[in-house]
Amino acid sequence: METCLSLSSSSVSLTEELQCSVCLEVFSDPVSTPCGHNFCRSCLKQYWDNSHIYSCPMCKETFSKRPGALLRRMQQFSVDVTLDPDTAHPNLILSEDGKQVRDGDIRHKLPDNPERFDPCACVLGKEGFSSGRFYFEVQVKGKTDWTLGVARETINRKGVITLSPQNGFWTVVLRDGKNYTPYADPPVSLSLRVSPQKVGVFVDYEEGLVCFYDVENRSLIYSFTGQTFTEKLFPYFSPDLNDEGKNSAPLIISPVHYNK
């Protein structure tokens, strides 16, 4: 079975979009201001503790009172995501509740409807979003390969698919149990201190922002910024090939537990 293609294998170092504009370090325990910008929780707290005017450190938008940024974690925008069986590749096995997906190595006889991916081993969420902010979490524990993110409604679903924002995909992938790559343009090779066991995906439609988080370590993995969305976005999942049992664990859409 064929899988989706990435962009070229070239890579660049981490860009400024991974940095907190206050400490200039990679985000730690990121939070958002009401205007949609992200900062380390401790940096934003210190910034406001030392000021009588509550403003965004990046765009300088001011707020009449100190916002509840410590704003408003991503989890408050959580949505109930269920997998759409009409979009699932015939090799994929979905749980009855639509919360888990894995590759079964066996092609099932399913209608070749226009919504279904083939030959790309992936599936979309049932509900799309055309405004506002939304967030969901996916358990990736035990997997060596996966792809997660969002995709626009009119993406190509037949034949070889190239994952890129230009083609309507905003994704991060894991390959060989250690290689994490956002399919940006150009691609970015990430060096993560620990392997995420659960990944959070946050989208701010109007801001043109797609962020990926290591939920347990409360750290940012990668963010696409400055994007332009003009149609519905759907959660996108690929558990990748079973690989003779080495990658048989499912992707699991997990209930969101709010951090205090």
Side-chain angles (χ1 to χ4, degrees):
M1 179 176 61
E2 298 180 50
T3 56
C4 302
L5 298 180
S6 67
L7 295 172
S8 67
S9 59
S10 62
S11 62
V12 296
S13 60
L14 291 176
T15 58
E16 291 182 355
E17 62 198 44
L18 289 174
Q19 296 177 334
C20 170
S21 63
V22 177
C23 68
L24 301 181
E25 298 290 341
V26 175
F27 286 114
S28 174
D29 191 9
V31 293
S32 291
T33 55
C35 51
H37 294 115
N38 300 318
F39 306 92
C40 300
R41 183 179 189 274
S42 58
C43 290
L44 189 58
K45 181 179 184 300
Q46 183 178 14
Y47 185 86
W48 283 342
D49 285 346
N50 296 328
S51 175
H52 296 293
I53 299 176
Y54 304 123
S55 63
C56 170
M58 182 173 291
C59 70
K60 306 305 180 184
E61 179 178 342
T62 58
F63 315 112
S64 58
K65 61 181 182 179
R66 183 165 179 152
L70 306 181
L71 254 124
R72 290 176 61 102
R73 297 181 179 278
M74 303 303 172
Q75 289 95 334
Q76 81 174 77
F77 301 106
S78 63
V79 293
D80 183 17
V81 175
T82 302
L83 301 172
D84 184 355
D86 291 336
T87 68
H89 183 278
N91 277 46
L92 297 183
I93 298 175
L94 278 57
S95 61
E96 290 187 5
D97 63 0
K99 299 296 185 181
Q100 302 186 28
V101 57
R102 62 182 177 87
D103 177 54
D105 271 346
I106 299 175
R107 188 179 182 93
H108 298 88
K109 293 183 179 180
L110 297 173
D112 187 22
N113 50 288
E115 299 84 6
R116 191 177 307 284
F117 287 96
D118 195 356
C120 185
C122 49
V123 60
L124 298 180
K126 281 186 176 181
E127 184 177 1
F129 303 87
S130 56
S131 64
R133 301 169 180 174
F134 63 94
Y135 174 84
F136 59 95
E137 294 180 353
V138 183
Q139 179 178 306
V140 296
K141 184 178 180 180
K143 297 195 64 61
T144 61
D145 299 82
W146 50 256
T147 305
L148 292 174
V150 294
R152 68 187 181 206
E153 187 170 22
T154 59
I155 51 172
N156 178 30
R157 307 185 189 204
K158 307 297 183 182
V160 177
I161 296 173
T162 300
L163 297 176
S164 70
Q166 291 79 4
N167 291 330
F169 298 88
W170 292 266
T171 60
V172 168
V173 307
L174 169 66
R175 293 292 179 262
D176 301 320
K178 59 182 178 180
N179 299 320
Y180 294 89
T181 305
Y183 282 165
D185 186 16
V188 177
S189 180
L190 302 179
S191 179
L192 303 184
R193 296 176 182 176
V194 296
S195 296
Q197 302 299 297
K198 185 181 292 185
V199 176
V201 182
F202 171 77
V203 176
D204 186 323
Y205 193 96
E206 283 74 21
E207 186 71 14
L209 179 69
V210 183
C211 295
F212 298 83
Y213 295 95
D214 181 331
V215 175
E216 294 183 353
N217 288 301
R218 300 165 72 178
S219 60
L220 182 71
I221 297 173
Y222 186 78
S223 62
F224 293 90
T225 60
Q227 306 298 303
T228 300
F229 305 132
T230 58
E231 55 186 271
K232 278 188 177 182
L233 297 179
F234 289 79
Y236 174 93
F237 310 83
S238 175
D240 216 81
L241 301 181
N242 185 290
D243 194 18
E244 298 180 345
K246 298 177 183 178
N247 190 42
S248 61
L251 291 175
I252 303 174
I253 302 170
S254 304
V256 174
H257 299 290
Y258 291 81
N259 292 326
K260 296 182 179 180

